[in-house]
Amino acid sequence: MDGPASTDIMIISGNSHPELSDLIASRLGVKLGGCSVYHKTNRETMVEIGDSVRGKDIYIVQTGTKDCNNDIMELLIMAYACKTSSAKSIVAVIPYLPYSKQCKMRKRGCIVSKLFAKMMCSAGISRVITMDLHQKEIQGFFDCPVDNLRASPFLLQYIQESIPDYRNGVIVARNPGSAKKATSYAERLRLGIAVIHGEQKEADSDMVDGRYSPPPLPSLSRTMEMGGGVPQHPAKEKPPINIVGDVSGRIAIMVDDMIDDVQSFVAAAEVLKERGAYKIYVLATHGLLSSDAPSLLEASLIDEIVVTNTIPHESQKLQCHKIKTVDISVLLSEGIRRIHNKESMSYLFKNVTLED
């Protein structure tokens, strides 16, 4: 790939994923800008930019890791430092957007990803490049353009090149919510799909909220008994875990946007094995793999876990030899090159549908 010929581009990196920043810079044929990000003894974040940024297009590479709050503060302070030093434009390259799972209103909480979006725009960020947002509607929280790139071409290529006899495979949705993504993969590979439905251990348990408030006043209770009140919402009860679709004698390929809490993946793998699947793969864009996830995966029936390098996971790979990494730096660097040269981004979204 030809790097940008102009010298008014600068790529700087936070501490979250320096290896990815080096890969992007080398693919573009530019040197990383001098930027030192460190913490004082009281954990305050300090940013020192060594090179002049006046009149330059700045690209800040910073992803979300297990230490996402520090990653966020580093990004905001780097962006603000560039803004106050007269940078021409500031583009944040955030392969995994922190807090993207908190994008819906829950109980007495708030939509945290909206707050994060406002903070980024206030810090001076004029554009965002990210990958496989947990919900595509998050783009609407930003007051600047957001390019939500897709890692699926890299994962599809991995299936075709690195899974022997993938034609005997079936794409598995871990729950009905991920059926759209599974369908997208299946149609591109011309394979069938299976959906796991039923009781699974979920990471998010419902806390006590308004549904357990005190009962209505006696006068209102009588009104409701007479049929004039609001009917009660029936409680949801999931049936026992079941698989819709045939996986017997097939290679089961589970797909998702991220893999963090692995209990549900491990439980799904056990059910797939019981139903006759002879090999089980898990493919995801973001490999968060928090806490004891690597050891659980190592002991599980899953044969291989394939994730991209949007998040660093070298320490997890030492604990679990089943984890394989797909490099997506070429996509991010091409996105930067096109934005810098004012070229259309539509080529990177070729054949992407609303369901993807």
Side-chain angles (χ1 to χ4, degrees), residues 64-77:
T65 63
K66 288 187 288 186
D67 193 12
C68 71
N69 292 329
N70 266 331
D71 300 332
I72 288 168
M73 283 311 297
E74 286 181 12
L75 172 65
L76 296 175
I77 295 170

Side-chain angles (χ1 to χ4, degrees), residues 3 37 42 52 105 123 130 137 166 172-173 229 336:
V37 184
N42 65 348
S52 172
M105 192 66 183
T130 186
E137 291 76 14
Y166 81 92
V172 179
I336 292 171

Side-chain angles (χ1 to χ4, degrees), residues 130-331:
T130 186
M131 291 197 73
D132 282 330
L133 287 171
H134 189 58
Q135 297 287 340
K136 291 186 284 294
E137 291 76 14
I138 292 173
Q139 294 173 83
F141 295 160
F142 289 83
D143 295 327
C144 64
V146 178
D147 295 299
N148 179 26
L149 304 177
R150 307 297 200 275
S152 49
F154 295 87
L155 297 175
L156 288 164
Q157 185 181 36
Y158 184 91
I159 292 171
Q160 291 170 320
E161 295 178 358
S162 303
I163 299 182
D165 195 24
Y166 81 92
R167 287 283 176 203
N168 186 35
V170 58
I171 307 297
V172 179
R174 182 173 55 91
N175 52 43
S178 55
K180 274 187 179 179
K181 182 175 275 289
T183 305
S184 172
Y185 275 72
E187 287 175 352
R188 284 171 166 80
L189 293 166
R190 299 178 186 274
L191 299 177
I193 74 161
V195 181
I196 297 174
H197 179 250
E199 196 76 48
Q200 292 186 55
K201 284 185 179 177
E202 292 293 338
D204 300 322
S205 58
D206 281 341
M207 304 295 285
V208 173
D209 65 3
R211 284 173 287 183
Y212 306 104
S213 296
L217 295 170
S219 58
L220 183 57
S221 296
R222 283 195 297 274
T223 308
M224 291 179 74
E225 283 168 13
M226 291 161 60
V230 180
Q232 282 205 347
H233 217 83
K236 280 187 179 180
E237 289 187 18
K238 288 187 176 179
I241 195 163
N242 189 31
I243 298 178
V244 182
D246 180 26
V247 296
S248 179
R250 313 284 286 279
I251 299 170
I253 304 169
M254 279 190 274
V255 294
D256 216 327
D257 63 329
M258 68 176 72
I259 176 166
D260 184 11
D261 176 65
V262 299
Q263 292 280 8
S264 53
F265 287 94
V266 171
E270 289 171 1
V271 177
L272 289 166
K273 209 74 172 179
E274 283 173 19
R275 296 298 172 90
Y278 75 90
K279 264 205 164 182
I280 300 168
Y281 291 81
V282 173
L283 278 79
T285 304
H286 309 298
L288 287 159
L289 302 168
S290 304
S291 58
D292 58 347
S295 54
L296 288 172
L297 290 172
E298 183 68 23
S300 73
L301 295 170
I302 299 168
D303 293 286
E304 202 165 282
I305 301 98
V306 183
V307 290
T308 70
N309 59 341
T310 55
I311 299 170
H313 47 260
E314 291 307 312
S315 58
Q316 286 92 329
K317 287 176 82 170
L318 295 173
Q319 300 172 58
C320 178
H321 75 280
K322 299 176 180 179
I323 300 170
K324 301 286 186 284
T325 309
V326 175
D327 179 25
I328 45 80
S329 61
V330 63
L331 180 60

